[in-house]
Amino acid sequence: MRLATWNVNSVGARAPRVREWLEESQPDVLCLQELKCPAEAFPAEITDGLPYEVAAHGEGRWNGVAILSKVGLDDVVRGFEGQPGYAPPPGDPDSVLVTVEQAPVVEARAIGATCGGVRVWSVYVPNGRALDSPHYGYKLEWLAALRRALEAEVRSAGAFVIAGDFNVARTDADVWDPGAFTGSTHVSEPERSAVSALEELGLTDVVPRALKHGTPFTYWDYRAGMFHKNEGMRIDLVLVSERVVAGLKDAYVDREARKGKAPSDHAPVVIDFDL
DNA sequence: ATGGCTCTGTCACAGAGA
């Protein structure tokens, strides 16, 4: 089975690139993040004439996740139990974390489905913005809540995958210059611990091969030629259960998809495994 | 040098991304 994850930074703007990539790479399952559109606006031309089913969970302007599968798409779940909500108070330029009971808005950041015998989650973890921002606490709580929600499922499922944009660089080797991230989100100890806690449920972070430079980065900022200088980060992760690890054949970052006309700022991470 | 680019919603920008 071939499974991939890709933050496409607008599935509308990226529709031709996503379709082209599906045809070339032929994944059995593709997890998408940052759709930036409602589920009903998911572009049909991405899969027209191709053997994929689509389950999307989106909202108007930001966020949005989807799972595309050609090996079945069953038991679709949008969001997870206890997922924290986030609401900007009227007139407040910043926002505050609210409890799930109070939450008027639960963002479209997680979708689960069973595909060909594998339980799959596509997740888009909140950015965090800054260490002193309320969004940072929201990010940590979001990851903690994800762990609580999926614990039983991870332990009972045979083949299980959580893939997506985690917005966390797990080690200093996962950013091009650790010094550039002093005092920033994505590299802080609490963020790294929150991902490790998820992994401790019995999952393995599949570190992909880099096809160039020896650094398996998955994201490069659009600005200042950072892709061409390989100033990137590994923040898109594929966490898999033991059953998947046992059948793992290959894993790589498809940096070719970061090139060319109108690319996403992320590249797909692809894993190949037998069950 | 805290910028650089790109996206959406809306129509010249603001907000977000990481």
Side-chain angles (χ1 to χ4, degrees), chain A residues 150-159:
Chain A
L150 297 187
E151 177 163 10
E153 204 172 302
V154 173
R155 296 195 193 284
S156 63

Side-chain angles (χ1 to χ4, degrees), chain A residues 18-83:
Chain A
V18 176
R19 184 187 174 91
E20 175 185 41
W21 193 83
L22 278 179
E23 291 179 323
E24 286 175 0
S25 303
Q26 300 186 17
D28 295 291
V29 179
L30 175 60
C31 298
L32 298 177
Q33 300 86 36
E34 277 210 83
L35 303 184
K36 293 188 172 180
C37 73
E40 59 270 24
F42 189 96
E45 63 265 36
I46 288 177
T47 54
D48 273 349
L50 301 179
Y52 290 94
E53 295 176 89
V54 178
H57 181 34
E59 55 195 79
R61 193 169 192 178
W62 291 297
N63 311 313
V65 287
I67 299 174
L68 281 55
S69 173
K70 60 177 180 180
V71 293
L73 191 60
D74 301 312
D75 301 318
V76 174
V77 175
R78 291 170 174 82
F80 55 83
E81 187 70 33
Q83 183 179 332

Side-chain angles (χ1 to χ4, degrees), chain A residues 148-219:
Chain A
R148 289 193 295 270
L150 297 187
E151 177 163 10
E153 204 172 302
V154 173
R155 296 195 193 284
S156 63
F160 188 95
V161 175
I162 308 178
D165 179 355
F166 280 73
N167 274 318
V168 177
R170 303 200 63 194
T171 74
D172 284 352
D174 293 321
V175 298
W176 82 93
D177 177 10
F181 285 84
T182 304
S184 297
T185 60
H186 294 65
V187 299
S188 74
E189 191 282 327
E191 289 165 273
R192 289 174 170 174
S193 290
V195 176
S196 294
L198 195 58
E199 191 177 36
E200 283 160 13
L201 294 178
L203 299 170
T204 298
D205 176 5
V206 179
V207 180
R209 286 189 293 125
L211 299 187
K212 193 177 178 184
H213 301 301
T215 50
F217 296 151
T218 65
Y219 162 85

Side-chain angles (χ1 to χ4, degrees), chain A residues 131-154:
Chain A
L131 297 184
D132 60 357
S133 165
H135 284 255
Y136 179 71
Y138 170 53
K139 179 181 194 173
L140 296 178
E141 175 53 25
W142 200 95
L143 282 164
L146 180 68
R147 183 191 191 281
R148 289 193 295 270
L150 297 187
E151 177 163 10
E153 204 172 302
V154 173

